[in-house]
Amino acid sequence: GQNIDQPTEMTATEGAIVQINCTYQTSGFNGLFWYQQHAGEAPTFLSYNVLDGLEEKGRFSSFLSRSKGYSYLLLKELQMKDSASYLCAVSKAAGNKLTFGGGTRVLVKP
Amino acid sequence: GAVVSQHPSWVICKSGTSVKIECRSLDFQATTMFWYRQFPKQSLMLMATSNEGSKATYEQGVEKDKFLINHASLTLSTLTVTSAHPEDSSFYICSAKQEYSNQPQHFGDGTRLSIL
């Protein structure tokens, strides 16, 4: 089976930086995804890591360490619109199935 | 970019009704699509993998006869919730991945199902 853990909630101030950690245990690892989901909407793709290291995309960066089963999503220069749930998902090699963590609700305060 | 369309967005119906939800890949072919369910303040739970031209693969605990999946073409998968009851009320989301590409799964906009 797969265990994917991430914090339930985080609060941060507008303009600040927030780091959302995700740990996982899985067999047949084929990559880790981060999605953003606003309330009542479908998830939107943010980033994908399959090799160790940091992937940067504008204000969002994602890091992966396969040996540690660990990833984080870094949100810089937080804006009010970044208030959402952030979902960590692991893909297995067979079938490209995604297994999601419980999601982290981020609240950005002025 | 790749777009997935899901219809309808909202369904409100009486207990015992069967409800069909459609998931279409608009500008790419998808031999595999995925159906998820999401309860309030919870994450997405994979229900089944829809395979074009063959039977769907259901996750443990998901009733095959309750949630009928048909993937008759390379761009369309349907999920039918049969004899729906209030406990089936949830947010149902489909996703699809473009074959032979490094693109991630793209999600439909979801269907909010409310059973009275």
Side-chain angles (χ1 to χ4, degrees), chain B residues 39-98:
Chain B
F39 291 107
K41 297 191 176 181
Q42 295 186 23
S43 191
L44 279 73
M45 294 297 295
L46 179 66
M47 298 175 66
T49 302
S50 174
N51 305 301
E52 188 268 335
S54 64
K55 292 182 180 179
T57 305
Y58 290 82
E59 295 300 300
Q60 192 172 8
V62 178
E63 299 175 56
K64 300 178 183 180
D65 296 331
K66 175 75 172 175
F67 301 99
L68 300 179
I69 292 173
N70 183 276
H71 195 153
S73 77
L74 288 171
T75 59
L76 173 64
S77 174
T78 61
L79 168 69
T80 301
V81 183
T82 62
S83 186
H85 291 286
E87 59 266 28
D88 298 322
S89 298
S90 187
F91 191 47
Y92 292 86
I93 311 175
C94 71
S95 73
K97 183 181 180 301
Q98 192 168 3

Side-chain angles (χ1 to χ4, degrees), chain B residues 6-7 10-11 14 20 22 24 26 38 40 43 54 61-62 65 74 81-82 88 107:
Chain B
Q6 189 172 338
H7 178 81
W10 287 83
V11 180
K14 294 180 180 179
K20 180 186 283 188
E22 293 186 349
R24 295 180 185 271
L26 295 185
Q38 186 176 33
S43 191
S54 64
V62 178
D65 296 331
L74 288 171
V81 183
T82 62
D88 298 322
F107 288 83

Side-chain angles (χ1 to χ4, degrees), chain A residues 33 35 37 40-43 45 87 95-98 100-103 105, chain B residues 34 36 38 41 43-44 46 49 59 91 93 97 104-105 107-109 112:
Chain A
F33 295 80
Y35 284 85
Q37 186 180 27
E41 299 180 10
F45 170 75
L87 309 176
N96 292 307
K97 290 198 304 185
L98 287 182
F100 284 84
R105 286 192 296 278
Chain B
F34 303 90
Y36 298 84
Q38 186 176 33
K41 297 191 176 181
S43 191
L44 279 73
L46 179 66
T49 302
E59 295 300 300
F91 191 47
I93 311 175
K97 183 181 180 301
Q105 288 185 26
F107 288 83
D109 288 335
R112 190 160 302 283

Side-chain angles (χ1 to χ4, degrees), chain A residues 7-26:
Chain A
T8 306
E9 286 188 355
M10 301 183 75
T11 302
T13 306
E14 193 175 14
I17 298 173
V18 69
Q19 178 175 313
I20 306 169
N21 296 324
C22 173
T23 57
Y24 65 89
Q25 294 175 317
T26 187

Side-chain angles (χ1 to χ4, degrees), chain B residues 16-29:
Chain B
T17 306
S18 291
V19 178
K20 180 186 283 188
I21 303 169
E22 293 186 349
C23 181
R24 295 180 185 271
S25 55
L26 295 185
D27 55 356
F28 65 98
Q29 294 183 336

